[in-house]
Amino acid sequence: MASLYTDKLEAWLRAHSSVADAEVMAAYMRDQFPFLGIRNPQRVALTKQFWKEHGFPKGAEGVKAAEELWALPEREFAYTAILLLTQLRKESGPERIEVLERMVITQSWWDSVDTIADHLIGYHLQKYPEQIPAYVEKWLASGNMWLQRTAILFQLKYKQRTDVALLFSIIRQLADSKEFFIRKAIGWALREYSKTDAAAVKAFVAENELSPLSVKEALKVMQRKEAQQND
């Protein structure tokens, strides 16, 4: 049974739903989930207004609210749960990884997994780096595409702090995957790191057998820079 706080927030968002927008949003996500039809800027504004009027749930209460929102069917509630946990990430303990991991493997699609991997798990593992070896090993061995994608993407914004050996090792282990979302993530992670060390990425792509999609994505930034220099 959901808490009174979550019930109020659910009712607040449902009151602003739009059937027409819901159909468009669901179609964009390939009808993986139902939607309320509240577009992102409006949803964020509505949520912040609710927090202003009803208070912001902190600590265990906030995590409970996030998990209750996550269990609701419409996708906007999942986005709101992620927003809530983002606001709570500075106060999180090492056990928070278990909540985030559960969210990766339930109601999974790129729109939730990528934000969790980057904004939440990436932040968490910088805070608790001692958890990285065990969880990365677990995710890679899991056979779960979304956990594997998380392993590739959690360092996406680490820049100079990237554990390059780990990133390259993860990619090598998943390089023969036939999954579109894994191949795309490999290219995305390499492309992002190329902004920090283009030479390392260029050498890695040349020395390893990657899918054409991964290679295309990995080299995008470098090729665009080269084209601009040749103009």
Side-chain angles (χ1 to χ4, degrees), residues 61-142:
E61 182 190 358
V63 176
K64 182 174 185 287
E67 293 190 281
E68 289 171 348
L69 289 165
W70 194 263
L72 295 170
E74 290 85 2
R75 199 59 170 166
E76 288 90 342
F77 295 120
Y79 301 154
T80 303
I82 292 171
L83 179 62
L84 177 52
L85 289 177
T86 301
Q87 298 295 319
L88 293 170
R89 64 186 187 174
K90 288 184 179 179
E91 64 175 46
S92 66
E95 72 286 347
R96 181 70 56 83
I97 189 69
E98 297 173 13
V99 175
L100 302 178
E101 186 181 62
R102 281 198 300 274
M103 288 181 169
V104 168
I105 61 174
T106 55
Q107 302 201 56
S108 309
W109 198 239
W110 63 264
D111 59 329
S112 61
V113 171
D114 293 0
T115 308
I116 294 167
D118 180 1
H119 288 80
L120 292 175
I121 290 179
Y123 182 94
H124 178 90
L125 292 178
Q126 278 193 314
K127 194 175 178 184
Y128 301 105
E130 68 277 5
Q131 293 185 333
I132 292 175
Y135 275 93
V136 167
E137 182 179 355
K138 176 185 176 184
W139 296 340
L140 291 176
S142 69

Side-chain angles (χ1 to χ4, degrees), residues 6 14 23 54 103 112 124-125 135 139 162 190 212 220:
T6 307
R14 286 193 186 282
E23 290 177 355
H54 297 274
M103 288 181 169
S112 61
H124 178 90
L125 292 178
Y135 275 93
W139 296 340
T162 300
L190 290 171
K220 266 184 181 177

Side-chain angles (χ1 to χ4, degrees), residues 197-230:
D197 190 342
V201 171
K202 197 169 188 177
F204 180 83
V205 170
E207 294 164 7
N208 291 272
E209 189 172 335
L210 304 174
S211 72
L213 174 61
S214 297
V215 172
K216 178 183 175 183
E217 292 293 326
L219 299 179
K220 266 184 181 177
V221 171
M222 288 182 282
Q223 289 175 341
R224 186 166 63 241
K225 286 182 178 178
E226 288 172 6
Q228 289 171 347
Q229 290 169 357
N230 293 331

Side-chain angles (χ1 to χ4, degrees), residues 104 108-110 113-114 144-151 181:
V104 168
S108 309
W109 198 239
W110 63 264
V113 171
D114 293 0
N144 182 288
M145 175 181 70
W146 300 110
L147 288 175
Q148 292 174 342
R149 185 170 167 101
T150 297
F181 285 110

